[in-house]
Amino acid sequence: MSETARPHDVMGEAHALTLDAADPLARFRDRFFVPVESVYLDGNSLGLLSVDAERAVLDALQAWKVKGIAGWLDADPPWFTLGETLGARMAALVGAAPESVIVTGTTTVNLHQMIGTFYRPDGVRRKIVATGLDFPSDVYAMQSQIRLRGGDPDGDLVLVPSRDGRTIDEDDLIAAMTDEVALVMLPSVLYRSGQLFDIPRLTGAAHAAGALIGFDCAHSAGALPHAFDAWNIDFAIWCSYKYLNAGPGAVGALYVNPRHVGAEPALAGWWGYRKDRQFDMVHDWEGAAGAGAFQISTIPLLSAAALLGSLAIFEDAGIDAIRQKSLDQTDYLIALVEGLGLTEAPYGYRIGTPREHHRRGGHVAIEHDEGAGIALALKERGFVVDFRQPDVVRLAPIALSTTYHEVWRVAQALREIIDTGAYLEVKASGPVT
Ligand SMILES: Cc1ncc(COP(=O)(O)O)c(C=O)c1O
């Protein structure tokens, strides 16, 4: 804002258009299929299809059509090593050595693989530390892995509670890392509030306590830079269907620190066998070098193909520029909500996401006691958002495809929905997702 600009100008539509005109990533929007007549703010849940991903899937279909089974070795790139090829490209995005990342499985399956492998209860060291605000699938996976080891989740799973219902105090996590803890398993970003954890700090604390530490990066991969090797985490898993735009249920990814190379996977499968001898078909396990050993099954080719296309966009745009715009847009959204007086009566919105950049992921949690009705009213107006119980409307401006003008528009809609009482009129026809 120039020194002569008046504060109210920053709230205006013209300012949004000025921001769009100056946006260095604006050109990427045209590479996405943005649903018509809607403002898509749900890329933190399901990313949009890109022209690049569509092309890559069509190319994979064509290869299948003309080559049949020969595509495993003859396609470009060969399907047989596609998990490794994609893993090496994904590694650049998450700050890891190429062989430390593999594209395989799905989020929860990879979680089971990693926890099964790296949760090694021994004597009194039997606990897993997680958060009381974790995504349910992570908790279910930890509970079942504890049971598989003969433990009792009631005693062995420590879900560190939130003090404010939306964030987790890192000091509380560190205090829970006692000498009874075998594994610390945390989200990088909390799915509801969008709180981003200080991963290096928590990693140092876990290691100092003698525990291993892994991260579920489903809500940070593709939204912000990572430095897995430098942070020295033990492992990570993430999905590619949110910020990475590889499509519904698309293949996931995992990272294993180089010091764990050679660790025996809890769940072995032939796809993790060393590639050069996989077709020897012998029954004695010999795992691939690096993260590849943790693959279980044949790579799902079509969703992996989509990721080939999608990653090209990230390589083009650069994750630092993506993060910068994401922070600018979430800052802008928060400033609009506050600047329009929406956190005051009669509006009553609350910002549930930390203000500090180093504690914020890619979305903004707008809380409201009438959040479910507000989310529905937003949807009626073409704003694609989601609602998470009990009171959170999640709004994710996506750096590659969302305009500042769209951010401005959703803030106006938040006001209008209260002004008109529209949130009271909408009738839920089913669960608000
Ligand atoms: C943080 C987190 N973990 C795990 C999952 C489960 O993912 P999947 O259904 O791919 O196993 C999700 C899904 O949204 C998630 O957000």
Side-chain angles (χ1 to χ4, degrees):
M1 183 173 45
S2 78
E3 282 179 19
T4 51
R6 294 188 307 274
H8 74 262
D9 290 335
V10 180
M11 296 294 119
E13 185 170 16
H15 184 64
L17 296 171
T18 306
L19 292 172
D20 279 325
D23 172 12
L25 295 185
R27 66 195 166 95
F28 286 94
R29 180 178 169 93
D30 286 346
R31 280 164 78 167
F32 287 89
F33 296 96
V34 180
V36 284
E37 293 185 10
S38 66
V39 172
Y40 198 80
L41 297 168
D42 217 357
N44 56 323
S45 196
L46 179 66
L48 291 175
L49 175 66
S50 63
V51 176
D52 305 60
E54 181 188 48
R55 179 77 267 146
V57 173
L58 292 174
D59 287 349
L61 284 171
Q62 183 66 15
W64 178 23
K65 194 188 281 180
V66 301
K67 293 178 193 287
I69 197 167
W72 284 109
L73 295 177
D74 292 351
D76 180 21
W79 306 335
F80 186 55
T81 45
L82 191 52
E84 285 76 7
T85 303
L86 282 167
R89 285 174 64 180
M90 188 82 100
L93 197 63
V94 294
E99 61 281 1
S100 298
V101 174
I102 194 79
V103 165
T104 185
T106 58
T107 324
T108 309
V109 171
N110 290 340
L111 202 53
H112 275 289
Q113 172 72 297
M114 292 291 98
I115 298 173
T117 303
F118 294 110
Y119 171 53
R120 300 165 179 149
D122 182 22
V124 291
R125 204 181 265 285
R126 308 197 57 83
K127 293 190 195 298
I128 300 181
V129 167
T131 90
L133 297 178
D134 270 16
F135 190 83
S137 203
D138 297 47
V139 176
Y140 306 151
M142 289 183 272
Q143 288 169 336
S144 60
Q145 288 294 334
I146 288 170
R147 279 191 210 99
L148 278 170
R149 297 300 182 97
D152 178 1
D154 282 347
D156 293 341
L157 181 57
V158 181
L159 296 177
V160 173
S162 168
R163 297 184 192 197
D164 62 4
R166 41 169 92 105
T167 59
I168 300 286
D169 194 313
E170 286 169 1
D171 291 337
D172 292 347
L173 286 171
I174 292 170
M177 297 177 193
T178 66
D179 56 9
E180 294 184 341
V181 175
L183 177 66
V184 180
M185 180 70 231
L186 300 172
S188 51
V189 169
L190 289 176
Y191 77 98
R192 211 170 355 213
S193 68
Q195 178 192 0
L196 167 65
F197 286 116
D198 183 341
I199 297 176
R201 178 182 179 216
L202 294 167
T203 301
H207 289 165
L212 298 184
I213 186 163
F215 286 89
D216 177 343
C217 295
H219 289 270
S220 59
L224 50 103
H226 299 65
F228 287 159
D229 280 343
W231 293 338
N232 201 26
I233 64 172
D234 292 287
F235 65 86
I237 55 102
W238 60 101
C239 72
S240 61
Y241 49 73
K242 298 179 190 290
Y243 292 97
L244 289 170
N245 312 311
V251 63
L254 62 83
Y255 161 84
V256 179
N257 191 292
R259 72 173 158 276
H260 297 304
V261 165
E264 194 177 335
L267 308 170
W270 81 311
W271 216 254
Y273 201 82
R274 52 181 289 182
K275 278 290 176 219
D276 57 335
R277 300 231 197 105
Q278 189 175 330
F279 277 87
D280 289 0
M281 302 297 209
V282 296
H283 285 178
D284 290 328
W285 167 260
E286 204 179 336
F294 296 88
Q295 296 171 93
I296 301 171
S297 292
T298 308
I299 188 162
L301 184 77
L302 298 182
S303 69
L307 187 56
L308 270 177
S310 184
L311 284 180
I313 300 183
F314 283 84
E315 287 157 1
D316 219 352
I319 192 67
D320 291 327
I322 289 171
R323 173 61 167 168
Q324 187 55 56
K325 181 173 169 188
S326 165
L327 286 171
D328 285 350
Q329 289 197 316
T330 50
D331 274 348
Y332 182 47
L333 178 56
I334 293 170
L336 285 167
V337 168
E338 291 183 332
L340 294 171
L342 304 186
T343 53
E344 293 153 25
Y347 297 103
Y349 290 102
R350 301 176 293 273
I351 308 285
T353 304
R355 309 303 168 99
E356 307 95 311
H357 285 179
H358 68 277
R359 295 182 66 223
R360 191 192 309 162
H363 73 267
V364 178
I366 304 283
E367 301 171 356
H368 197 284
D369 296 345
E370 300 288 346
I374 289 164
L376 283 169
L378 282 171
K379 286 182 187 189
E380 279 192 351
R381 285 155 177 73
F383 296 94
V384 184
V385 302
D386 62 28
F387 173 71
R388 289 293 175 265
Q389 294 289 353
D391 58 3
V392 176
V393 181
R394 298 191 303 182
L395 304 179
I398 299 299
L400 291 167
S401 56
T402 306
T403 65
Y404 287 86
H405 190 244
E406 288 176 322
V407 175
W408 180 83
R409 281 175 59 201
V410 78
Q412 310 308 308
L414 288 171
R415 176 167 63 180
E416 180 267 322
I417 284 164
I418 302 290
D419 283 344
T420 59
Y423 66 97
L424 296 169
E425 287 155 27
V426 285
K427 294 275 176 279
S429 54
V432 199
T433 57

